[in-house]
Amino acid sequence: MERRHFIQASTIAASGLAFAGCLGSNPDAEQATEFSAYDIPAYSAWPPDDPRTNDFVLFGHLNIRHLHEADDEEDDEPTEDVEDVLLTLPGYGFMVTALWFYFGLWDYPWHGTLGSENEPDGMATEALTMTEGTFVFHGEYDPEVFTNEYAEGFDEREANGFTVFEGQAGGGTEELAYAVSEDAIVAAISPESVEDHEEAVSNLDDALDNRINEVGRIVDDEDGEWLFESTGPADMATGFWRVEGLEEEDLQAGEEEDEDTLNIEDNPIFESVNSFIGTLVLPDSEDGVGGDTAAARFAALYPEGEVPSEDELREELMPSDTGEVLDIVTDDDRVQVVAEVSEDEINEHFN
């Protein structure tokens, strides 16, 4: 199975909320007793500690190369639903980020160009992050390109390495606001989630202030830093912060429920969860584990004394033989699960 098919399978499963679980395990493998630590991912610079648009913080992240690969084969869909929680959870973040990329930035003058497969000089997008009223493009950019080509209807100002473009009242751009630096472009998500000019600018300015001053973000909290450190850089990621128990409507991607999938509210892993991140690193990724192996990682925070047992984690996240569980580590309020899946196992499972 090629990577693009796996991406499609993950996102299709996520859209149906196929949280029935199944990655395999090796019960004879020696389990770690300490949490594994990875590099803090670059996308951690943006999700805020306090929600701007929800009752909790939600964020999604994706490597844009894999989004383009999935687009190239849009008619070649997998024939079997993917039920692995450890795989579908990152796929949900991939899906919602892709949806905002295609449909949530429609009114911006660079929509359809920025992040496309044929970006002009001055744009080289590598990844996308969606979180709390803002959308972030990661890569290499020339701010002068945006000043010259995409500034009509905007007022410009400088903000510590960012050129901020603020929509002008009455010009059809009043609900738009974005900022450009040499390594990121940040846009207020519009227009459905942004009611007015002040809210768009407030969301953007808050994101920039947090990034520039390195305060007010999930990663600036000790527990939040641990979540990012325990899951590392990824090709796709889903994060929930201070959700205090995940419910069906928090992840609902469609109006109809799928009777063949497990109700989220019946899954003990998510019953009392406070915060979590699920990531997937695909083969050939710069941050991959090498060879033909994908790495799936899950880290979560719980109220003290309410951490699921190792048996529950194994049963609800990975009971089948799709991949090998390397580690399940828990303490009073933290959980980390790490697994690896080969392309051959992915191919066998999804075909």
Side-chain angles (χ1 to χ4, degrees):
M1 182 183 209
E2 296 199 25
R3 186 192 301 108
R4 60 177 179 270
H5 300 160
F6 178 44
I7 294 170
Q8 290 170 342
S10 296
T11 56
I12 288 170
S15 67
L17 296 179
F19 275 40
C22 38
L23 264 185
S25 60
N26 180 358
D28 297 325
E30 183 177 345
Q31 292 295 309
T33 57
E34 295 183 359
F35 295 113
S36 299
Y38 306 94
D39 291 339
I40 298 289
Y43 74 86
S44 68
W46 298 102
D49 181 61
D50 291 323
R52 302 186 186 108
T53 59
N54 295 303
D55 294 331
F56 51 84
V57 176
L58 163 67
F59 57 91
H61 177 77
L62 64 85
N63 180 321
I64 202 165
R65 176 167 62 94
H66 303 310
L67 179 62
H68 292 158
E69 290 175 355
D71 286 343
D72 290 341
E73 296 292 335
E74 59 181 306
D75 294 326
D76 191 5
E77 297 182 355
T79 58
E80 181 181 339
D81 285 342
V82 185
E83 297 179 343
D84 306 292
V85 176
L86 217 59
L87 302 181
T88 59
L89 188 58
Y92 178 80
F94 184 104
M95 178 189 67
V96 295
T97 303
L99 288 174
W100 276 110
F101 171 66
Y102 288 123
F103 304 113
L105 304 166
W106 193 268
D107 292 330
Y108 281 98
W110 34 254
H111 182 266
T113 301
L114 180 61
S116 70
E117 291 189 78
N118 300 302
E119 289 181 308
D121 291 342
M123 302 181 189
T125 300
E126 299 173 358
L128 308 174
T129 301
M130 180 284 303
T131 181
E132 289 306 301
T134 53
F135 196 96
V136 183
F137 297 77
H138 307 263
E140 296 182 3
Y141 306 101
D142 182 354
E144 289 189 6
V145 170
F146 293 84
T147 296
N148 295 334
E149 303 292 336
Y150 304 105
E152 184 176 355
F154 293 85
D155 293 324
E156 289 184 50
R157 56 184 166 89
E158 296 299 316
N160 291 312
F162 286 87
T163 302
V164 179
F165 298 84
E166 187 176 321
Q168 298 171 345
T173 58
E174 57 268 13
E175 294 178 334
L176 307 178
Y178 73 99
V180 181
S181 72
E182 292 183 352
D183 61 5
I185 295 174
V186 192
I189 294 177
S190 69
E192 291 82 5
S193 67
V194 177
E195 297 179 356
D196 54 34
H197 173 79
E198 289 74 18
E199 184 178 354
V201 174
S202 175
N203 286 342
L204 179 64
D205 284 346
D206 185 58
L208 294 179
D209 287 345
N210 290 352
R211 172 66 180 86
I212 292 167
N213 297 313
E214 298 184 349
V215 295
R217 305 168 302 174
I218 294 174
V219 73
D220 299 314
D221 180 276
E222 182 180 351
D223 285 333
E225 182 181 27
W226 177 83
L227 286 174
F228 286 114
E229 185 180 65
S230 298
T231 49
D235 290 302
M236 59 179 78
T238 299
F240 281 80
W241 177 249
R242 293 178 179 163
V243 67
E244 297 180 357
L246 190 66
E247 298 182 356
E248 181 91 18
E249 57 264 28
D250 296 332
L251 279 173
Q252 191 65 48
E255 294 182 359
E256 297 183 2
E257 294 184 9
D258 188 339
E259 294 181 356
D260 295 329
T261 61
L262 182 67
N263 189 315
I264 294 299
E265 293 177 315
D266 293 336
N267 190 321
I269 304 304
F270 300 101
E271 247 173 35
S272 63
V273 69
N274 179 284
S275 307
F276 64 87
I277 298 176
T279 66
L280 192 64
V281 185
L282 297 173
D284 301 332
S285 171
E286 180 180 345
D287 299 300
V289 297
D292 65 348
T293 302
R297 299 165 186 154
F298 175 78
L301 303 169
Y302 292 86
E304 189 169 351
E306 297 186 31
V307 170
S309 67
E310 183 175 324
D311 287 343
E312 284 179 317
L313 290 165
R314 198 177 296 278
E315 179 180 351
E316 299 296 339
L317 294 180
M318 54 206 77
S320 83
D321 58 356
T322 304
E324 179 182 355
V325 180
L326 301 182
D327 297 316
I328 298 178
V329 184
T330 66
D331 66 9
D332 289 342
D333 60 357
R334 293 178 175 182
V335 163
Q336 183 188 46
V337 181
V338 179
E340 291 186 354
V341 188
S342 73
E343 283 190 329
D344 288 342
E345 288 171 317
I346 292 171
N347 183 58
E348 181 178 349
H349 185 64
F350 293 117
N351 283 341

